[in-house]
């Protein structure tokens, strides 16, 4: 499945358990010797929601949230549902080839990002070449957002991994470069931790919209224009984040998971 080009291998392990390790997830995600994806999604039974969703980046690391994957799972379930994640329980409503996801309220304090040292997350006094003074937001995954004049002018493929792995971010970080078109529209590119440049990042769009609304750069709802397509993000201060966008089923198949280690 994919959400605006952010693609996933979704394994339905609700009825038959699948053992997943970092090494196996990385092997499955490999585009040359595996199946290939940005993230691997494992669906398991849940005692507190309709399904439990585990998310593994292409490098095999398990993370707390993925907005695009949540929309895909919502359409797979085919009815309004609660999805358990590391980041909490997410409410979902599927539509035709799209879905709406309600994410938990964002966190802004430096410990919640987390940062290695105390810092004002609304105007961080740091810079990496021309990228400076970002805003940090945790929406289930940690993000920094740089508002720039032209997202396409930023060499994100070079600077993204430098910022992602900086010691300031003990759990690494997702890197967003955003350009305000007007108060209802934002252009965005994302370097995703553990995955690299992606055509779309749902939590990145949410974090960027929240940062823009909170700093007075935009008003809710905001349309976030990503290379893979658009997401509509709504948020009021103190409340949850609502994200709406496409989700696409590409194909179904079977595999012998033991072949991946």
């Amino acid at each position: 499945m994919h959400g605006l080009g952010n693609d996933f291998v979704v394994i339905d392990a609700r009825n038959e358990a699948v053992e997943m390790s970092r090494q196996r997830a990385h092997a499955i995600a490999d585009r040359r010797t595996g199946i290939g994806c940005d993230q691997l999604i494992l669906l398991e039974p849940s005692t507190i929601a309709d399904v439990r969703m585990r998310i593994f980046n292409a490098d095999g690391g398990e993370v707390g949230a993925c907005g695009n994957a949540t929309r895909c799972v919502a359409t797979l379930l085919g009815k309004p549902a609660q999805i358990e994640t590391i980041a909490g329980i997410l409410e979902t409503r599927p539509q035709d080839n799209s879905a709406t996801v309600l994410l938990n309220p964002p966190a802004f304090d430096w410990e919640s990002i987390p940062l290695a040292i105390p810092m004002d997350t609304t105007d961080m006094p740091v810079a990496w070449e021309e990228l400076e003074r970002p805003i940090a937001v945790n929406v289930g995954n940690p993000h920094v957002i740089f508002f720039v004049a032209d997202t396409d002018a930023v060499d994100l493929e070079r600077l993204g991994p430098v910022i992602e792995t900086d010691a300031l971010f003990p759990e690494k970080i997702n890197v967003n470069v955003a350009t305000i078109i007007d108060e209802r529209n934002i252009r965005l590119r994302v370097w995703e931790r553990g995955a690299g440049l992606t055509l779309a990042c749902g939590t990145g769009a949410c974090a960027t919209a929240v940062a823009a609304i909170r700093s007075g750069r935009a008003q809710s709802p905001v349309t976030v224009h990503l290379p893979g397509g658009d997401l509509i993000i709504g948020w009021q201060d103190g409340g949850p984040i609502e994200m709406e966008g496409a989700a696409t089923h590409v194909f179904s198949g079977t595999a012998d998971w033991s072949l991946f280690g």
Side-chain angles (χ1 to χ4, degrees):
M1 304 187 76
H2 75 87
L4 305 181
N6 183 195
D7 63 334
F8 313 101
V9 169
V10 183
I11 302 175
D12 191 348
R14 287 176 291 176
N15 296 320
E16 185 176 351
V18 171
E19 184 178 348
M20 191 56 59
S21 64
R22 185 185 187 103
Q23 293 74 21
R24 176 171 287 180
H26 178 57
I28 293 170
D30 192 293
R31 296 189 184 276
R32 292 181 175 83
T33 59
I35 297 172
C37 60
D38 289 326
Q39 280 92 19
L40 181 145
I41 308 302
L42 185 63
L43 302 183
E44 298 178 332
S46 172
T47 58
I48 58 174
D50 294 291
V51 66
R52 180 188 184 205
M53 178 175 70
R54 296 175 65 192
I55 305 155
F56 298 83
N57 279 338
D59 66 357
E62 188 168 3
V63 296
C66 179
N68 288 326
T70 305
R71 294 200 317 278
C72 287
V73 171
T75 63
L76 184 66
L77 297 175
K79 61 181 180 179
Q82 292 186 327
I83 300 176
E84 177 190 354
T85 71
I86 292 175
I89 295 178
L90 307 179
E91 301 279 348
T92 63
R93 300 191 306 273
Q95 292 97 35
D96 291 337
N97 301 315
S98 68
T100 298
V101 177
L102 206 63
L103 282 79
N104 293 316
F108 305 101
D109 55 291
W110 70 273
E111 298 99 332
S112 295
I113 302 301
L115 303 178
I117 56 175
M119 192 178 297
D120 179 5
T121 62
T122 64
D123 184 22
M124 297 169 63
V126 294
W128 293 266
E129 298 181 19
E130 74 269 26
L131 294 180
E132 57 185 10
R133 307 199 79 88
I135 297 172
V137 183
N138 194 314
V139 293
N141 279 343
H143 289 264
V144 285
I145 303 96
F146 298 89
F147 289 101
V148 299
D150 182 5
T151 60
D152 294 328
V154 176
D155 188 356
L156 193 55
E157 191 166 10
R158 180 176 59 86
L159 289 173
V162 174
I163 301 170
E164 175 196 355
T165 58
D166 192 284
L168 179 61
F169 309 109
E171 296 181 9
K172 299 186 179 180
I173 201 78
N174 297 285
V175 185
N176 304 263
V177 290
T179 297
I180 302 294
I181 301 172
D182 56 44
E183 64 182 16
R184 298 288 187 181
N185 293 273
I186 301 172
R187 284 196 296 117
L188 177 65
R189 295 170 63 221
V190 184
W191 177 272
E192 199 165 345
R193 65 172 179 174
L197 282 174
T198 58
L199 291 174
C201 177
T203 59
C206 290
T208 298
V210 164
I213 294 166
R214 193 166 186 246
S215 63
R217 292 176 168 91
Q219 292 188 20
S220 177
V222 179
T223 299
V224 180
H225 305 274
L226 296 131
D230 298 344
L231 292 172
I232 300 173
I233 311 297
W235 178 71
Q236 300 296 328
D237 194 6
I241 308 166
E242 186 172 275
M243 172 185 57
E244 181 182 348
T248 304
H249 176 240
V250 181
F251 71 91
S252 298
T254 59
D256 182 352
W257 305 118
S258 67
L259 298 177
F260 299 100

